[in-house]
Amino acid sequence: MALEGFKNRILGSIGLLKGKRKVDEESVKDLSRSLRRALLEADFNVRQTKEITERIERRLLEDEKPPGLKLETHAMNLIYSELVRILGPPREIKPHNETILMVGLYGQGKTTTTAKMADWWRRRHGVKVGVIEADVHRPGAYQQLCQLLEGTNIEVYGEPDEKNASKIVKNGLKKVGNSDVVIIDTAGRDSLDDELRQELINIAEIANATERFLVIDAQVGQAAGKVAQ
Ligand SMILES: Nc1nc2c(ncn2[C@@H]2O[C@H](COP(=O)(O)OP(=O)(O)OP(=O)(O)O)[C@@H](O)[C@H]2O)c(=O)[nH]1
Ligand SMILES: [Mg+2]
């Protein structure tokens, strides 16, 4: 697994500080070099890699290590906070009157994420969640979603024999639209072709979604930018 490799490379970089009680410039440079290699191998952008490693170098040398914390743990916290920082600030989504449209390329995890999020909201916030399966291309998509949500009281709306996704969304909203959170799963393709694009535009119009979630495999690397565009 590429992500497993990335994790091990980061742990290996931090391991360079093992046994040290204070940072010195040389070990910080070693760590930075090792980390840079790990990020580039994980297909991070070159400019971003430079920025991250320079910030970590600087913070390791300048930030005060909290007392009682091992140097390695301190470095791990710094790396974690820098990686999270590039994701941007978090945004809370209130589980009330939300309609979420799941989009993305073929086989990226849209249906699985739809089910996971639906069940998460139900358990975490105790709100009513309804899901609509609007993928008319993947055989068995409706059954897949039903199976993933088996044993929960989440209502899954689908019309396995209907070929018009917009129609399913329209009917689905009538059926489960009064839920606190409605999640709509859509079809994916190898690349966004015009037909799918139009289908998505139509669905988006009908769904009037409050959020659109783009689902991308975590191993996709820099190609994610193109998909998002
Ligand atoms: N390891 C891992 N596998 C996942 C994850 N999410 C989904 N998968 C697997 O990836 C495969 C595709 O997941 P789906 O949820 O069917 O993807 P999709 O985007 O709905 O696919 P299409 O409907 O065919 O476009 C399945 O075998 C899932 O079990 C995840 O977070 N981690
Ligand atoms: Mg799917």
Side-chain angles (χ1 to χ4, degrees):
M1 283 278 294
L3 288 178
E4 194 65 24
F6 180 48
K7 183 180 105 184
N8 290 335
R9 295 300 293 255
I10 290 185
L11 291 176
S13 306
I14 290 169
L16 296 169
L17 297 176
K18 205 172 176 149
K20 292 208 180 342
R21 310 190 80 189
K22 271 187 75 170
V23 282
D24 53 79
E25 288 218 14
E26 199 184 330
S27 46
V28 169
K29 282 275 176 233
D30 285 346
L31 182 146
S32 174
R33 205 174 305 123
S34 168
L35 192 62
R36 187 175 309 129
R37 215 175 304 134
L39 291 167
L40 290 174
E41 270 177 21
D43 202 19
F44 268 67
N45 168 282
V46 174
R47 183 187 48 77
Q48 209 163 39
T49 299
K50 188 165 181 288
E51 188 196 319
I52 294 171
T53 49
E54 281 175 1
R55 281 181 62 100
I56 289 170
E57 261 183 54
R58 199 172 56 239
R59 288 187 63 184
L60 267 173
L61 291 169
E62 291 173 6
D63 283 16
E64 191 83 26
K65 177 174 78 65
L69 208 60
K70 271 167 73 176
L71 188 56
E72 285 165 79
T73 313
H74 176 55
M76 175 65 93
N77 291 346
L78 285 185
I79 293 172
Y80 176 78
S81 73
E82 286 301 325
L83 289 177
V84 170
R85 191 186 59 83
I86 58 170
L87 296 175
R91 189 165 57 89
E92 196 194 349
I93 296 172
K94 294 224 159 52
H96 183 63
N97 276 340
E98 286 288 350
T99 305
I100 297 162
L101 191 63
M102 304 294 282
V103 301
L105 300 184
Y106 159 84
Q108 299 284 297
K110 292 179 297 299
T111 307
T112 311
T113 311
T114 299
K116 279 186 187 168
M117 284 200 319
D119 196 40
W120 181 83
W121 257 305
R122 178 188 70 87
R123 282 187 290 116
R124 174 78 187 262
H125 295 285
V127 295
K128 187 168 177 225
V129 183
V131 297
I132 300 172
E133 180 50 78
D135 182 352
V136 294
H137 301 287
R138 148 85 48 224
Y142 174 64
Q143 286 81 357
Q144 182 190 1
L145 196 51
C146 289
Q147 196 178 47
L148 289 168
L149 287 170
E150 213 176 286
T152 70
N153 60 358
I154 294 168
E155 193 165 354
V156 183
Y157 185 85
E159 300 177 37
D161 297 322
E162 176 59 59
K163 287 288 163 229
N164 182 336
S166 301
K167 212 159 146 186
I168 300 179
V169 173
K170 208 181 280 173
N171 292 338
L173 286 173
K174 278 189 205 139
K175 193 80 196 300
V176 301
N178 66 344
S179 309
D180 298 298
V181 177
V182 177
I183 309 178
I184 304 170
D185 183 29
T186 66
R189 294 281 170 83
D190 275 345
S191 59
L192 276 179
D193 56 41
D194 284 345
E195 198 192 328
L196 180 71
R197 207 188 297 260
Q198 194 52 50
E199 186 181 286
L200 271 179
I201 291 170
N202 295 344
I203 293 177
E205 216 162 87
I206 293 166
N208 195 16
T210 45
E211 301 286 339
R212 292 173 195 178
F213 285 180
L214 175 63
V215 182
I216 299 181
D217 189 316
Q219 298 185 46
V220 75
Q222 294 187 60
K226 278 208 192 85
V227 176
Q229 279 170 6

